[in-house]
Amino acid sequence: MTREELQERILSILEHDFEFEAPGLTDNLRDDHGFDSIDAIELLGKIETMLGFTLSREEKEQAMSIRTINDILDYIEQIRSARQS
């Protein structure tokens, strides 16, 4: 899956499941969209489903630094790359 395809899927999830309106890739998820820790846990579950595997505790802890949609995309690419190595 390319970054563009990932972006489309993540934007779709955020718009449909979290009711984001016109999210920008550099928007602060918390400040601009009211994204909270419960939302983050739910999003990680959706990312696991999308990737087809369960994230390790360490991988989930890495998600704590996510602030923007670009961060989400970087996070997914990093995990996929590490798993393929």
Side-chain angles (χ1 to χ4, degrees):
M1 187 177 315
T2 67
R3 186 174 178 97
E4 291 77 26
E5 292 168 329
L6 280 174
Q7 179 178 319
E8 286 178 29
R9 294 199 57 193
I10 293 299
L11 288 174
S12 178
I13 289 169
L14 293 172
E15 290 170 347
H16 293 104
D17 297 346
F18 297 96
E19 300 178 358
F20 281 27
E21 292 186 26
L25 297 179
T26 58
D27 291 359
N28 183 296
L29 298 171
R30 182 176 312 195
D31 296 342
D32 297 331
H33 299 285
F35 204 75
D36 61 22
S37 58
I38 304 277
D39 294 326
I41 291 167
E42 187 176 339
L43 179 60
L44 284 176
K46 292 181 183 302
I47 289 171
E48 287 178 326
T49 300
M50 183 174 53
L51 294 175
F53 56 79
T54 302
L55 297 169
S56 69
R57 181 180 180 97
E58 180 180 292
E59 289 168 335
K60 289 178 182 177
E61 288 173 358
Q62 291 171 358
M64 299 302 291
S65 65
I66 291 173
R67 298 290 177 257
T68 68
I69 295 169
N70 272 331
D71 291 345
I72 295 170
L73 299 173
D74 293 343
Y75 171 76
I76 293 170
E77 287 181 327
Q78 176 190 14
I79 288 177
R80 285 193 329 178
S81 175
R83 293 270 181 133
Q84 292 173 351
S85 299

